[in-house]
């Protein structure tokens, strides 16, 4: 009888552990918006390169670096949780379809400022390597805005 009681308690303990997402899943989910921002910034920078010849070289650097940020963040998401990684290319929950306006340099600068702040906030909230990755992205994006596109 005592053996049955112990076995029953073990089953309760195991089922009690699976009440929510894992830390890896939560961390991966926090990185998804950073990938989406990086891809949007890359697209804007590439679109602007022809329209802003004075900034063409700087815009190419911004586009290439933001593409690299998206790649590095996506790899970390895959490492943390492959199921979350499949959601990266889906539109975000707050994304509402709006008529596409052509990108502007002012708009790209504002987007980079928003991306940097978002990455900074994520970096502050995460532990370990993902925090360092998000912090590096935040610093790089700030540099792009303040130096490359000055």
């Amino acid at each position: 009888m005592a053996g049955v009681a112990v076995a029953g308690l073990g089953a309760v303990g195991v089922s009690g552990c699976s009440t929510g997402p894992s830390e890896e899943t939560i961390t991966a989910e926090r990185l998804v918006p950073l990938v989406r921002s990086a891809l949007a910034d890359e697209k804007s920078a590439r679109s602007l390169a022809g329209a802003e010849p004075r900034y063409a070289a700087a815009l190419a650097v911004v586009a290439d670096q933001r593409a690299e940020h998206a790649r590095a963040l996506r790899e970390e998401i895959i490492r943390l949780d492959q199921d979350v990684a499949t959601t990266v290319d889906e539109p975000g929950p707050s994304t509402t379809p709006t008529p596409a306006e052509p990108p502007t340099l002012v708009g790209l600068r504002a987007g980079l400022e928003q991306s940097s702040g978002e990455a900074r906030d994520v970096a502050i909230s995460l532990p370990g390597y993902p925090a360092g990755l998000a912090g590096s992205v935040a610093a790089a994006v700030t540099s792009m805005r303040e130096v490359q596109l000055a």
Side-chain angles (χ1 to χ4, degrees):
M1 193 71 149
V4 174
V6 171
L9 288 176
V12 170
V14 171
S15 67
C17 291
S18 60
T19 59
S22 69
E23 285 297 318
E24 290 82 6
T25 298
I26 293 168
T27 299
E29 288 172 345
R30 294 293 317 269
L31 296 175
V32 168
L34 302 185
V35 175
R36 291 178 180 152
S37 294
L39 293 171
D41 294 342
E42 175 198 7
K43 182 179 177 183
S44 293
R46 290 200 195 285
S47 295
L48 276 169
E52 295 283 349
R54 222 176 88 199
Y55 286 95
L59 289 164
V61 169
V62 170
D64 291 346
Q65 288 183 357
R66 292 304 277 150
E68 183 60 26
H69 293 162
R71 184 199 58 75
L73 289 160
R74 188 184 301 263
E75 286 177 3
E76 181 62 4
I77 293 167
I78 291 167
R79 185 188 72 76
L80 291 165
D81 190 311
Q82 291 187 2
D83 289 336
V84 172
T86 64
T87 69
V88 169
D89 296 319
E90 297 173 1
S94 63
T95 304
T96 56
T98 57
E101 295 180 24
T104 64
L105 199 54
V106 170
L108 178 59
R109 285 184 184 124
L112 291 172
E113 183 174 4
Q114 182 177 347
S115 295
S116 175
E118 184 177 60
R120 180 195 63 238
D121 292 345
V122 169
I124 291 169
S125 72
L126 294 178
Y129 177 79
L133 178 59
S136 293
V137 167
V141 174
T142 297
S143 175
M144 286 175 216
R145 183 179 177 281
E146 299 295 324
V147 178
Q148 292 290 333
L149 300 179

